[in-house]
Amino acid sequence: LIVQNALYAQKRMADLPGVKLKFRSSNFKEFVVDYSASGISAAQINSLLLEKGIFGGKDLTSEFPELKNCSLYCVTDMHSKSDIDTLISALQEILK
């Protein structure tokens, strides 16, 4: 279930404008999303998500300068498809 949820989230996020998956490798539940092409920083995106009651991915910019505007997301069996869809809808509004 964890792998299915993570793959579903990755596929949905990769379809968003200005968003790409940073690494195209297999993973268990964590993956890095790059917002560089969106024109909005990872910090701004997290702030706007928080206004919607959603805790976004961990902004990696300060710890890994080479991953500027990237966030680490973790999807587990505690997240439902509906939770992921809610995140995607919020990101769609933010990135339009």
Side-chain angles (χ1 to χ4, degrees):
L1 182 59
I2 293 171
V3 173
Q4 287 176 335
N5 284 349
L7 288 172
Y8 177 72
Q10 289 175 71
K11 181 185 178 323
R12 294 289 317 273
M13 291 181 93
D15 289 340
L16 294 169
V19 176
K20 71 175 190 169
L21 299 177
K22 187 66 177 175
F23 305 105
R24 289 287 186 174
S25 59
S26 60
N27 57 63
F28 179 54
K29 60 183 175 183
E30 296 175 333
F31 55 95
V32 177
V33 175
D34 186 350
Y35 292 115
S36 297
S38 72
I40 305 173
S41 73
Q44 290 171 305
I45 289 170
N46 282 344
S47 178
L48 293 168
L49 284 172
L50 200 53
E51 288 176 13
K52 298 175 179 294
I54 300 170
F55 186 76
K58 176 172 175 38
D59 184 356
L60 300 173
T61 303
S62 63
E63 293 173 57
F64 301 95
E66 66 276 14
L67 296 176
K68 181 179 180 185
N69 290 323
C70 291
S71 290
L72 176 68
Y73 280 84
C74 179
V75 179
T76 70
D77 53 339
M78 298 297 292
H79 299 101
S80 68
K81 182 179 179 288
S82 176
D83 293 334
I84 296 166
D85 290 341
T86 298
L87 168 65
I88 299 304
S89 292
L91 286 169
Q92 286 171 329
E93 287 179 29
I94 291 167
L95 298 169
K96 61 181 170 183

